[in-house]
Amino acid sequence: MNQREPDTEKSGTKTSGATTSGAETSGATTSGAETSGTEESGVGNVPDPKKSDGKTRITILVALAANIVIAVAKAIGGLISGSPALLSEAAHSVADSVNEVFLLTALHRSRRPADRRHPFGYGKERYFWSLLAAVGIFVMGGCFSFYQGYHALVTDDGESPSGYTAGLIVLGVALAAEGSSLLRALHQLRKQKGSAKDPAVRTVVAEDATAVLGVLLAMAGMVLHLVTGEVAWEAGASFGIGLLLVFVAYRLGAEARVQLVGESVDPELRGRIASLLDAQPEIDNVAQLLTMRLGLDSALIAARIDLVPGLDSEEIELICVRIKRSVAGTWPEADHVFLDITEAPPETQETSQNSRAPQPSRTSRTGGT
């Protein structure tokens, strides 16, 4: 039976069986005992956040420098030649440059420590700024490309071959620069553990890959326009660049939305945590296990568990401390762990080896440290 014992209040932890009402664990903070998740065993198995952010920052800065230079060159070349495809690519590079600024902001703001207003930290800032980057690609890149394609079809102004030659040279330089930036991003993606989950790295890879394809489309449109004299080829290249940017913006936005809404940890990690809980001798039944990603290397774990009978309040609290330390020590990203101690439903009690005596009504004790 659940009975509240006022004499078991410790360090702001209200234990009713084993309770922390509204308490939060960062790593595993329990009754004055605190493990940050980075102080337990297993931390060596995950990349150092500061080191990984430093590499990501370099990747973004390389892409930013390349895009600024390329945007200026494309704009000048586009104005000289009057090429709509080249002007579309200039807009694309401007959009990418703005997005790199968004990503740098995400790196800085997502690592701010938790505070009273945001007790779970600022990890989701990374996904918010990635969402803004996707909007930037759509508006500044995709929409302007569609406009340039339409404008080319309705005006069909004559462009000089000499201007197009300069434009093709600019695109050739842009292709080399964008390709170098893409190789840098792919190198980090391949070598750095966990970078595939980083929205900043994924956004840079998507932008650079799209930029390479966009340059190739622009070059093809310009060459076909010069050879055939039909502006439709170049207008088609602008529409193609616009469609490519809209598709990439949609994919990046959809990924950011999933994380902002609240996504569970991957099924493999969830299964391992469930197995660890099931293996505890004091746990009779794991009634429910809820997880949610709070950031790139932060997760919330909430479990509703039924303990074996015969445990007093002090024992339950100590068991919760040990279990939470075990979870946070094994998986450092599980830095917010909550346990809700609750009695199993009657049907579970009847079939369990260690079932309690039947109770007139279901009562619950919430546990968390």
Side-chain angles (χ1 to χ4, degrees), residues 31-93:
S31 301
E34 183 174 330
T35 52
S36 65
T38 57
E39 298 172 359
E40 298 286 344
S41 60
V43 69
N45 297 328
V46 297
D48 177 46
K50 291 185 178 180
K51 186 176 180 180
S52 61
D53 275 5
K55 292 180 179 179
T56 301
R57 186 173 288 105
I58 292 174
T59 298
I60 295 174
L61 289 173
V62 169
L64 176 61
N67 280 318
I68 290 175
V69 173
I70 293 168
V72 173
K74 287 177 180 177
I76 294 174
L79 292 173
I80 292 174
S81 65
S83 167
L86 193 51
L87 289 173
S88 295
E89 272 301 295
H92 180 185
S93 294

Side-chain angles (χ1 to χ4, degrees), residues 180-202:
S180 299
S181 179
L182 177 61
L183 290 175
R184 161 71 196 186
L186 289 174
H187 175 76
Q188 180 180 350
L189 197 65
R190 185 174 64 255
K191 294 294 184 180
Q192 183 177 315
K193 182 180 179 181
S195 61
K197 298 180 180 180
D198 189 341
V201 177
R202 291 202 310 268

Side-chain angles (χ1 to χ4, degrees), residues 46-290:
V46 297
D48 177 46
K50 291 185 178 180
K51 186 176 180 180
S52 61
D53 275 5
K55 292 180 179 179
T56 301
R57 186 173 288 105
I58 292 174
T59 298
I60 295 174
L61 289 173
V62 169
L64 176 61
N67 280 318
I68 290 175
V69 173
I70 293 168
V72 173
K74 287 177 180 177
I76 294 174
L79 292 173
I80 292 174
S81 65
S83 167
L86 193 51
L87 289 173
S88 295
E89 272 301 295
H92 180 185
S93 294
V94 170
D96 286 351
S97 299
V98 174
N99 292 340
E100 258 88 63
V101 175
F102 286 159
L103 297 179
L104 288 173
T105 303
L107 289 184
H108 171 69
R109 294 181 64 88
S110 66
R111 291 302 181 187
R112 289 185 296 169
D115 53 34
R116 185 181 298 274
R117 188 176 178 85
H118 298 88
F120 292 108
Y122 291 82
K124 290 195 175 186
E125 286 259 17
R126 222 168 180 110
Y127 308 113
F128 169 74
W129 291 98
S130 295
L131 179 62
L132 289 187
V135 173
I137 292 174
F138 176 82
V139 175
M140 291 184 288
C143 292
F144 187 78
S145 295
F146 287 132
Y147 166 76
Q148 283 298 319
Y150 170 78
H151 181 73
L153 288 176
V154 298
T155 58
D156 193 11
D157 296 330
E159 293 88 11
S160 65
S162 59
Y164 265 48
T165 301
L168 288 171
I169 293 173
V170 169
L171 287 177
V173 175
L175 182 62
E178 297 285 13
S180 299
S181 179
L182 177 61
L183 290 175
R184 161 71 196 186
L186 289 174
H187 175 76
Q188 180 180 350
L189 197 65
R190 185 174 64 255
K191 294 294 184 180
Q192 183 177 315
K193 182 180 179 181
S195 61
K197 298 180 180 180
D198 189 341
V201 177
R202 291 202 310 268
T203 300
V204 171
V205 171
E207 287 179 349
D208 288 343
T210 305
V212 170
L213 292 175
V215 168
L216 293 175
L217 280 173
M219 292 178 74
M222 291 177 69
V223 170
L224 289 171
H225 184 188
L226 281 174
V227 171
T228 65
E230 295 290 336
V231 73
W233 289 107
E234 200 165 354
S238 291
F239 285 128
I241 293 169
L243 287 172
L244 186 62
L245 292 174
V246 169
F247 173 75
V248 171
Y250 170 76
R251 290 299 302 271
L252 292 175
E255 291 176 2
R257 180 190 64 83
V258 169
Q259 297 294 342
L260 287 172
V261 170
E263 185 182 39
S264 64
V265 301
D266 60 81
E268 181 182 0
L269 175 57
R270 186 187 183 283
R272 290 177 179 177
I273 294 173
S275 297
L276 183 147
L277 294 176
D278 284 330
Q280 304 302 311
E282 299 88 357
I283 295 181
D284 195 20
N285 175 54
V286 179
Q288 193 174 28
L289 177 60
L290 303 175

Side-chain angles (χ1 to χ4, degrees), residues 238-361:
S238 291
F239 285 128
I241 293 169
L243 287 172
L244 186 62
L245 292 174
V246 169
F247 173 75
V248 171
Y250 170 76
R251 290 299 302 271
L252 292 175
E255 291 176 2
R257 180 190 64 83
V258 169
Q259 297 294 342
L260 287 172
V261 170
E263 185 182 39
S264 64
V265 301
D266 60 81
E268 181 182 0
L269 175 57
R270 186 187 183 283
R272 290 177 179 177
I273 294 173
S275 297
L276 183 147
L277 294 176
D278 284 330
Q280 304 302 311
E282 299 88 357
I283 295 181
D284 195 20
N285 175 54
V286 179
Q288 193 174 28
L289 177 60
L290 303 175
T291 66
M292 184 172 67
R293 286 282 178 192
L294 300 176
L296 190 60
D297 47 18
S298 177
L300 182 148
I301 311 297
R304 182 172 291 125
I305 59 176
D306 177 38
L307 298 179
V308 297
L311 300 173
D312 61 30
S313 299
E314 188 69 24
E315 288 177 313
I316 292 176
E317 185 173 1
L318 293 175
I319 289 168
C320 288
V321 171
R322 194 198 72 237
I323 293 174
K324 292 185 176 189
R325 286 184 175 180
S326 180
V327 173
T330 306
W331 300 283
E333 64 268 37
D335 53 356
H336 296 278
V337 182
F338 295 85
L339 297 179
D340 178 22
I341 312 302
T342 183
E343 291 187 5
E347 59 269 20
T348 305
Q349 294 178 353
E350 293 173 3
T351 58
S352 172
Q353 272 188 334
N354 301 311
S355 62
R356 294 183 176 85
Q359 302 292 334
S361 63

